[in-house]
Every structure is written in structure tokens, then in C-alpha cells.
Amino acid sequence: MDQSVINDWVSYINDATVVTGDFFRSLPGSSIIIRYIKSSYQDDPIRSIWEALLFIFAVHYFLASKKSYLKKNYVPLSEREVDELVNEWEPEPLVQPLQKSEQWDLSSIPVIHGAAGVKVNAVLNTTGTTKPKQVLNCASNDFLSFANDESIKAKAVEVIRQYGVGSCGPPGFYGQQKAHISFESTISKFMGAQDAIVYAQAFNTGTSVIPSFLKRGDIVIADAGINLSVQKGIQMSRVTVRWYQHNDMKDLEKVLEQTNKEFRKRPLTRRFIITEALFENSGDSPDLQKIVELKYKYKYRLMLDETWSLGILGKTGRGLLEEYPLVSRDDIEITFGSMAHALGGGGGYCIGSRSVVKHQRIGSLAVVFSASMPAYLAVCAEAAIEELSDTSSGRMAKLHKNAVRLNEILATANLRSKNKLTIISRPDSPYILVKISEKYVDENYGAMEKKLQEITDECFKEGIMITRSKRLQQYEVIPIEHTLKICASIDHSENDLNFIGSILFKAVNKVLP
Amino acid sequence: MAAVEAGYRVRPTKPVGKLGHLRDEEFGALTSPDYLYKHQHPPGVELPAPVEDEPPYSILIWTYLSYLVLILIGHIRDFFSRHFKSESMKDLGEHDGYAPLYSDFDSFYIRRLQHRIRDCFSRPTVGVPGRYITLINRSSNDYNNTFTEDGTTTSCLNLSSYNYLGFAQSVGQCTDAAEDYINEYGISSGASRATTGTLDAHVLCEDVVADFVGKESSMLFSMGYGTNASIFSSLVDKNCLVISDELNHASIRFGSRLSGAVIKIFKHNDMHDLEKLLREQISQGQPRTHRPWKKILLVVEGLYSMEGTMTNLPRLVELRKKYKFYLFVDEAHSVGAMGPRGRGVCDYFSIDTSNVDILMGTLTKSFGATGGFVAADKAIIDRIRLTNMGSNYAEAMSPPVLGQIFSSLKTITGEINPGEGDERLQRLAFNSRYLRLGLKRLGFIVYGIDDSPIIPLLLYQPSKMPAFSRLMLEKKIAVVVVGYPATPLTSSRVRFCLSSSLTKADLDELLAATNEIGDKICLKYGSGIASDSIDGKPVRWSLSDVIANGVEDCKKPLK
Ligand SMILES: Cc1ncc(COP(=O)(O)O)c(C=O)c1O
């Protein structure tokens, strides 16, 4: 190469170094950096080289990371190629049409003609007839018979004559009505909390409450038997979740200890234990006292789902807390539940301290982005709670009596038919879940459900309506138990309860010989 | 009730039309057949992009500055509150080993900005949210921390409720039907739809809904938000792609995220951006593996409730043919409100519903009911019945709501009280155009298409939200103001939701009030590009000219 060109280059580089050096020195704070580099060079020149390399690598990485992340995987294609690919692409059908072998599942949904009281006229296509048949309703969540109570119906009529049916707007935009406010104050007093907020649907209460408080990086320790609504709430909040064995307090403590150890060095984030008062999936209850002890010991907060326990557990229907005199509502930061179950209406609620509730009014998606519940549902639920508060009404006592009685009848009958079934729910609960005992269990998902449907169909033919629980495995985190749901109601007479026992086991003996 | 007592509104001497049997404060009677209009988009024509007017730059700069000041003051207040350990900051700090329940960073906007104007939101009401809405008066002595009610109420003209066809009523055939359903079916069917909660009334109502929207089959859910929250999980999984308009509703975003599918966003209503995205996604396939997508679901809304814009369905139908994606249209705001027969966007564009795979909608907005529906081919709905969380786990729709839906749909189709449905549809169409034209001519900037029953009027500066809302309240008009984060930072707005229940006189009253307040707090930013300008200068008609010419002119293209 020509000498003069090289000379030019050298002088050019020299100039450039001087200019950048001057420029650098003119920056505020540069003297500190220069001093640092000089002194470190004096101490240890090798280290300086390492540092320089590291610096260059960091800059390179920073500049490159965004671009390559997006584009590394990108295959450049010409327009023609894209057109070809577009033409070639064949999507799968939007949903797979039902196979013949799945049709029975759709037919297994009974249609009730008229009101869903304790005696219903219903059609169940899997039984082969299409004429309505009068059967005893043993699968309704309306345990206390509020949904068809004459005085509550009269109230509902009164309310639609004052408010109309829909609320026509979310609570933020004129959808918060006097009826809602009044219900919120009644339920918070009834449950012993400072404040309450209503949701328009029970299932979407948990899915919305949980992500409104818990975010990525927070920690949830949840019972592995928790219901789907809570599972989905946890999923949407993107928290770090650890499961403990269903109702196993030893395991809970172990998980708490491990988790606290694991996250000891991390910044403090919100930590919650989530459990359910009466489990939808298994019909049993946790040891609340112990959980509260553990929560304080390990510094966790507690979230309790009372969907199935309000109006079912406790002498006056106040839920699980009524069974634990030493636990107060203040020990549970967030409680949510449903008015669509034992209160015989619709919608959900969340109770807690004033700030817990206030936060949800602007921070919970299902509150902010959905029309508020119709006013009549709020008034009916309030009327139901007032009835529970009135100890002379006797509804709860009747329900507990029927629940215990039905459990006894089923247990005795089960014993007589060699324990073909296993009752997994609490022995005093009107929400009864039974599964087929071990030796009849079929590994095949469809086959198990079909067996349960056969039992249901047999019962229906003989005059009682029960149902499969119909949980959907594809959405649940934990393998589901195949169960039948049988519900005691205050409207069931002693004869009815005996009838349920005898018909059920007649059916069981027929299907599981 | 209160409105009549106040002498505020008198019954017209000569009601015209089919709805004389309703209460005047819930549904104003029609006073002239001129106040009717039947809207329809010319078939086969793409939807032109609405002309979007922009304010002078100075306004945007002032808006940013206003936010800057608000944020600065907020931080100063935070500093002092923290310093003096004020009660309001108690929930925000760590205490004995517990992290705060919610972070001060996330809640900053709510504590320091929204809190100042809390009186403009969640105003409690009582009674029917019809033509008038009864607000419970409240006041605050502690800077909006708490409100006290003195037991009095104010009846306000209602531009805020989603009551497009005016079915929010306490009298009339729909309320009668709801009452009958209560007496016959009670309050609840006591279980989820898939177990034992299905009534014959559900089945019947689903057939009526399917017929109404023009699909083979439909399914009802007890909550509109919940419908979207659960439907996507039944349609797509992690090997599928959901393409979603950037302004889609929170429930759609929630549901599509829950499904686990990959989600890509395209610019609001931008068909070029959409096509680019489609080409890229189909040719590139799934990230990393490059396997082809199992399916692509495109999700749009019929009518966007914050913008008043409509989806460009004619173009989407073409794209659907070419790119073989499945089309999901959320008709929450458009079913009932759009189309000459009220059947939604397909009706409006004269497009066969077979071009849309899933029609979803809510019954909260046009029908005075509550809940949501999904309509599609029978094969699809049959599968969804078995695989949907909403049908297997959530409570079934409550019977009186079914009564309301059944009777309101039958009213629109003309099977009940023939003529009433058409009047409702045509009054809504007229009201929407009349008000929009009037606002434009007065010089305001409004967003959306001509026929939209939602009219957002741009306020820009954050301080004008409470100003507008409070001044309107003084004039006994209830409006909804929305700002950041529901809208972009600089485009705070007031959103007028029209209804068939409003009379022309009501709209004139509203125009007069808006005109006055617009002058007072300086809101007339229109440059004239969105309306006829005679001399190239911004359009500023006088109120009397607007009213004198509006009825005729609003039936032509709005200029
Ligand atoms: C587009 C859209 N989808 C769904 C919903 C939710 O409907 P609902 O209020 O009936 O829960 C809304 C309501 O605001 C909406 O705007």
C-alpha cells in the first residue's frame, strides 16, 4: 500500500482521537471517569483491558438484543413466496364438530319446563324420551329455596317496576344504583367486614378479584383442590404460584417454609394463601384456624373463596367463619363469593377492608368494564340475607337437618350396596359429591363420565334429577375427580330424602353390578 | 316522576308514533314524523375512514403541560404524605414484613389524578336509566375521600346510559314480560346451564336471538364480560393466533389471554396494517418452530364504544376470503343500534352473516337486559355448549332477563306491537345524526362515523373533564367523561350515548347547553375539515341556525 495513504490514515486517526478526547473531557463528570480509568490502569492494566472488553460487550448486547430478538427468527421471503404460502395455508376448522360418539354428552343436559323448584317437569334426552317428566330436583344450588320464594318474587316485581331490568351501564358510569349500595352494606355487615362490592357474575368474581391485587412477581400459595374460577384468576395475574396438597396443613407449612426460604433474598412482594371455605371440587372444608395461624407465622395474607359456604355453613349461614369462633373476618384480608348459589339469585361479591373494596372499584376489570348487576338481583339477595339474619325463620336449621339426614341415608345405603360409591364431601353438607369407588374406576375419561351419566339417567327415569359435576379437564390444573352432585334442599321431606337414597342405589346397583 | 314535578319537561300535546303508552320520563313521545331516519350503508362499498379533525398544536402542548403540572403536584403531595405518615399512605408502605397491598406506583394515577375528579364518576342513581336518570345528590367535605348523601335526588337528562333503543323501562310490554317470567320461573334456575340450570325459556330465547342476528344457533351467558372472558378458551389454544384490534374491549383482551393463544395487535381499523400482519404471520408461522398456525382468529368490535368508529366489515370479508382466518365480531354496542333492522353491523353493511364466523354481543346495551350471547353455526355452538367455562361453571341467565330479551327482540322485529320497533330504530338513527351534525356545526371536534349512536366530543385538557361534567350536571344533564388511561393521554373526551327515548327537544336542550359550556370553557376547536366551511374559515354556526337546518340536513351526508 502507498506510504502516503497510510500516513493520511494515521494522522486522521490521531486527529479523531484528539477531537473525541477533547469532546469527552468537555462533558461534565468526565474527569471522574478519566481518573478512574487512569488509576485502575496504574493498579492493574490487565483489569482495564477486561473492563474495556466487558463494556464493549455490554453495549453490543444492549444494542443487539432488541433487534435480534425480533428478527433472528424471521425468514425473509419475497412477495411471491408469501403469496404461495398464503395460498397453501389451510387452517383447521374453528371447532371440531361433535362426533357421533360425543353426541350423548350434549343430550345429557336436561331442560326444565317451568320453574326450577323442588319438583320440576324436565326432559332428559339421554333417557330416550322427549316428553317432560315430573322429577324431584336434587341438583339445585338453591338449597334454601329462595329462587322461588313468593315474597322474594314479589320484591323482584316491585324492583323491576321501579328500576326496569338492566342497569344499562358499568358502576363508574351511572350504573351504581341505590339497590347495589344497600346490598353492599347489608352483606358486609352480615359477614362482619368493613365494606363490600358486587360483581355481575359469580364465576367472574374470583377471576377478576385476584388479578386486581396480585401481579407478576407476587407469590401465591394455593390449595391444589381449588375451584376453576380461582385457578383462572391466578393464571391471569401471572404470579409465582406454589400448590399445596389439598387440605394438608403439614404440606402447607412445608411449602410456606420452602417458599420463604427461596425468596428470602428477593425484594418483598405480596404473598397470599388462597383457599376455599367449602370446596366446589370436593365438598370439604379446610382447617381455617390452622391456616390463620400459619399465615401470621409466615407473614402471608389470606384470600378465602366462600362461594359455596354462604348460606350453607354455620348456624346462621355466615359461612366457614361461624365454625371457627377464634377466627375473625379481619384475619382474612379478602373474601369473595356468590349470590347465585344458596342465596338463589345471581352475581358475586367481594368483602374486606374499606381500602380493599375501594381499590377494586377502579382496579378490577369485571367491575370497571362490565354493566353492573340488575337491581332486582341485588334486592333479592339482600332479602335472602335479611331472612338468614332473622334467626326465627328456621331455614338454616331445616337445611342442616336435611343435609345431615340425607348424608346418613346415603351412607347407610352405600354400605348396604358394598360401598360402590364414595362420598367425598363433608357429612353435614347439603352439597354432596360422590364418586365411583376404586374398583369400578375406568382410566378412560369419557368412559367414567358415561358411567356416571348412566346412573343419572336411571335416577331420572325413576323420578329424581341429579347431575354429573361436569367439570372440564382441559381447563383445570389438577386432574379432576369424576363426581355426581346431589343437593339437599329445605323443601325435601323425610320421604323425599329416603326416596333419593333408595333410587340412587337402585341405579348404582344396576349400572355397577 | 321528579322531572314532571319540577315542571322541567311537559308532555307534548300531540304525541305521534307508537309509543304513547310509555312513561314520559322514561321514553319521550315522538313529536313529528320528520324526526325519524332509516340508516343503511351503500352495499358493497368499503367504509371510508372518518374525517378526523385535529386541534391546534398549542392545545396539545397545553394538554401535556397540564398533565405535567398534575403529576408534579401529585409527587409533591406524595412526598409530604409519606413524610408525615399520613393515613392515606398507610396501605402503600411495607409494614411488619408485609408488602403493600397495591403499589404506590400503580396507584399514583388514581390517587393523585383521578381522585380529584372522583365526583364525576360512580354517581349513584336510583330508578330507571331511561330518558331521564335520577341521581342521588352527594357532596364531599374531605376532598372526595368520602361522600355524604342528603337524601335528595336530581332528575337529569340521560346522555350516559347504554340504552340505545330505550328499552330501559318500568312499564310496557318488556317489563310486563319480565314480571311474567318472575312469576312463572322465579329468580334463578339454580345451577349452571350444562348441569341442571337450563330452562325451556333459555332454549326459546336462544332461538329468538339466533333468528334475530341471522345465525343458525346461539347461546346465552349471564354476563357480557364473562361471555368474552370464557369464549376464546373454547375456540383457540396455544398453537393458534388471535389478531386483535388495538382498541378492543378489556373483556376481549382478558378472554384471549386466558385462552393461551398468541396475540397480535393491529392498528385501530387500519386494514393495511392488518393485511401486512396477516401476510407476515401466515408466511412466518409460529414463533421459533415456524410451524403453520393451526388457525387464526381475527377479533374486532362492530362499533367501538370510546371512538364511535365502526369496523370496516366489507374489507374484512374480502380479507377473510383471501387469508382464511376466522372472523369474530363483538357486537356489544352495534346489535340493536346499527342497521336498518337493528340486526347489527352485517345488517348495516348488507353483508350476509355467513361471512362472520362468530357473532358475539351483549344484551346490556340495546335491550335493557343484561348478559351476553354468542351466535354461530349449529355445529360450532353445539361444541361450545360442551366446552365452555361459562356454560359449565357460571350461573345461568336469570329468568326475568330472558323475558326482557324475548319481548324486546320481538318488538324490534315487529311481532309485538308492530311499528314500535321501527320507530325505536329510526328515532335512534335520527337522534344520532342530528346531534352529531349539530355539534360539528357549532364547532366541536367529534369522533366516529355519521351513524354512530356514540358521539365522543373531544375536550383534550384534563381539567376540562370535571369542568364539563359539573357544568352539565348544573344544567341537569348527566354525561360521561373519559380520560387517560381509557383514552390516549391527550384525547380526554365526553361521550354522549344516544337513545331512542330522547326527543328532538331534548337534543336541542343538549345542543344549547353544550354550546354555552363550549364557549365558556373554550372547546370549539373544529378546523372545518369535518364540516362544510363556506369561506375556508372554521365553521361556527349559531345555535338557532343549527336547530333550524338540522332536521333536513342530517338526512344528507353530514357536513
Ligand atoms: C365491546 C364490549 N364487549 C363486552 C362488553 C361487556 O358487556 P357487559 O357490560 O354486558 O358485561 C362491553 C361493555 O362495556 C363492550 O363494550
Side-chain angles (χ1 to χ4, degrees), chain A residues 73-75 77 79 82-83 85-87 89-98 102 105-106 109-116 139-142 147-148 152-153 156-157 160-174 176-178 181 200-204 207 213 228 232 235-236 238 268-270 272 280 295-296 299-301 340 344-347 355-356 358-359 362 365-366 369-371 374 376-377 380 465 467-472 474-476, chain B residues 91 94 96-103 110 114-115 118 121-129 133 135-136 145 160-162 168-171 175-176 178-179 182-191 193-196 198-200 222-223 225-226 229 233-235 249-250 254 257-258 279-280 282-284 287-288 290 292-296 322-324 326 357-358 364 368-370 380 382-383 385-389 392-395 398 400-401 404 478-480 482 495:
Chain A
N73 217 0
Y74 186 88
V75 185
L77 296 166
E79 285 297 297
V82 173
D83 279 333
L85 285 165
V86 165
N87 282 336
W89 182 61
E90 271 310 320
E92 285 184 9
L94 184 51
V95 299
Q96 297 293 343
L98 289 187
E102 295 170 298
D105 205 356
L106 192 62
I109 301 174
V111 178
I112 298 174
H113 291 236
S140 174
N141 304 337
D142 181 25
N148 284 288
I152 287 187
K153 275 160 64 175
V157 171
I160 64 167
R161 289 297 176 192
Q162 195 195 352
Y163 284 89
V165 175
S167 65
C168 294
F173 300 155
Y174 304 87
Q176 187 176 25
Q177 299 175 314
K178 197 172 173 182
I181 299 168
Q201 192 189 50
F203 183 75
N204 273 300
T207 61
F213 288 100
L228 187 74
K232 293 295 150 192
Q235 180 190 335
M236 289 305 283
R238 299 170 164 152
L268 187 62
T269 54
R270 283 171 284 268
F272 269 90
E280 175 167 344
K295 109 174 219 215
Y296 283 120
K299 296 208 183 286
Y300 275 69
R301 290 189 174 96
S355 58
V356 160
K358 193 171 164 187
H359 176 72
I362 5 186
L365 292 178
F369 293 103
S370 177
Y376 78 87
L377 283 175
C380 292
M465 183 167 78
T467 180
R468 290 183 283 134
S469 292
K470 296 197 181 172
R471 285 199 290 276
L472 300 170
Q474 65 265 43
Y475 303 127
E476 304 257 4
Chain B
D91 293 326
E94 282 179 19
D96 17 294
Y98 290 90
L101 201 47
Y102 34 88
S103 87
I110 289 164
Q114 200 261 358
H115 192 82
R118 230 182 118 205
F121 302 103
S122 303
R123 290 181 180 143
T125 71
V126 62
V128 175
I133 188 164
L135 307 190
I136 299 171
N145 266 331
S160 60
S161 296
Y162 302 129
Q169 291 163 351
S170 63
V171 292
T175 322
D176 294 348
E179 178 171 341
I182 292 174
N183 291 329
E184 193 169 337
Y185 292 100
I187 310 298
S188 148
S189 60
R193 284 294 302 279
T195 57
T196 60
T198 299
L199 302 173
D200 53 348
S222 49
M223 183 192 194
Y225 175 97
S233 301
S234 318
L235 300 174
H249 191 253
F254 184 97
R257 236 184 77 201
L258 193 61
R279 291 178 70 80
E280 181 188 306
I282 296 175
S283 59
Q284 296 290 327
R288 291 217 319 277
H290 289 292
W293 293 107
K294 260 167 61 179
K295 50 202 169 194
I296 297 179
K322 180 161 178 204
Y323 293 101
K324 292 170 276 191
Y326 297 106
D357 298 280
I358 306 265
T364 320
T370 195
I380 295 177
D382 279 354
R383 171 63 75 185
R385 274 185 215 285
L386 292 185
T387 59
N388 190 274
M389 285 183 263
N392 283 49
Y393 295 81
E395 70 256 32
S398 167
V401 178
Q404 175 82 19
V479 297
V480 165
V482 264
R495 188 180 62 171

Side-chain angles (χ1 to χ4, degrees), chain B residues 35-37 39 163-166 333 336-338 366 422-434 451-454 497-502:
Chain B
Y35 305 154
L36 296 173
Y37 180 76
H39 67 207
N163 180 29
Y164 298 124
L165 294 178
H333 291 267
M338 299 306 293
S366 291
D422 285 338
E423 185 186 323
R424 287 181 189 260
L425 291 171
Q426 292 171 22
R427 281 182 64 178
L428 177 65
F430 172 84
N431 287 353
S432 308
R433 294 179 71 93
Y434 180 77
D451 286 319
S452 157
I454 296 163
C497 282
L498 281 157
S499 164
S500 322
S501 65
L502 299 168

Side-chain angles (χ1 to χ4, degrees), chain A residues 170 200 369-372, chain B residues 162 223-226 228 249 251-252 301 303 305 330-333 360 362-365 370-372:
Chain A
F369 293 103
S370 177
S372 51
Chain B
Y162 302 129
M223 183 192 194
Y225 175 97
N228 276 337
H249 191 253
S251 58
I252 298 177
E301 285 181 35
L303 184 69
S305 66
D330 179 337
E331 296 239 43
H333 291 267
M360 177 272 166
T362 70
L363 301 149
T364 320
K365 276 107 193 170
T370 195

